Amino acid sequence: QVQLVESGGGLVEPGGSLRLSCAASGSAFGFEIMDWYRQAPGKKRDLVATINSDGRTNYADSVKGRFTISRDIVKNTVHLAMNNLTPEDTAVYYCHVPLGSWYPETWGQGTQVTVSS
């Protein structure tokens, strides 16, 4: 069974940086796509960034130029480097693997990111 475990969340001041990590287990062949989502209180869960097995990336407009998604395909890990953070980035961040050729859709448990002075 696929399992995703996030880490790296915390409290930072506006303008600061954090690097989130997601460790994926149970993948003998790797994942075609890995994503990061986030959900703030009272809001829906939104896609932040996605990366495929070729390294192609896409970002939400709200984080373009500030966030960078990367992955190590061999280790089945994905990272989200977040720079120039603002209070609007405060949310629970979730690692996500969409339905693939050999695995079901899977969500991590989430890690809290709080941006406040």
Side-chain angles (χ1 to χ4, degrees):
Q1 183 71 18
V2 174
Q3 185 174 6
L4 305 175
V5 179
E6 302 98 333
S7 62
L11 190 153
V12 295
E13 294 187 351
S17 300
L18 279 176
R19 185 172 184 264
L20 307 182
S21 297
C22 172
S25 63
S27 59
F29 302 100
F31 305 111
E32 289 92 348
I33 297 172
M34 299 184 75
D35 307 315
W36 284 98
Y37 282 73
R38 68 184 182 186
Q39 186 169 24
K43 299 183 179 179
K44 67 182 182 69
R45 190 173 298 184
D46 293 326
L47 179 65
V48 175
T50 183
I51 186 168
N52 70 6
S53 59
D54 295 325
R56 183 178 179 87
T57 60
N58 283 288
Y59 298 92
D61 288 340
S62 59
V63 306
K64 285 182 179 178
R66 299 189 299 119
F67 290 12
T68 302
I69 187 171
S70 61
R71 69 183 294 179
D72 185 326
I73 296 177
V74 174
K75 296 181 179 180
N76 284 317
T77 59
V78 63
H79 307 280
L80 186 68
M82 306 183 296
N83 300 308
N84 195 24
L85 288 162
T86 74
E88 288 67 44
D89 296 315
T90 295
V92 177
Y93 284 71
Y94 297 91
C95 186
H96 174 252
V97 174
L99 175 67
S101 58
W102 63 272
Y103 48 86
E105 180 184 35
T106 305
W107 292 93
Q109 82 288 349
T111 185
Q112 177 71 49
V113 172
T114 302
V115 184
S116 176
S117 59

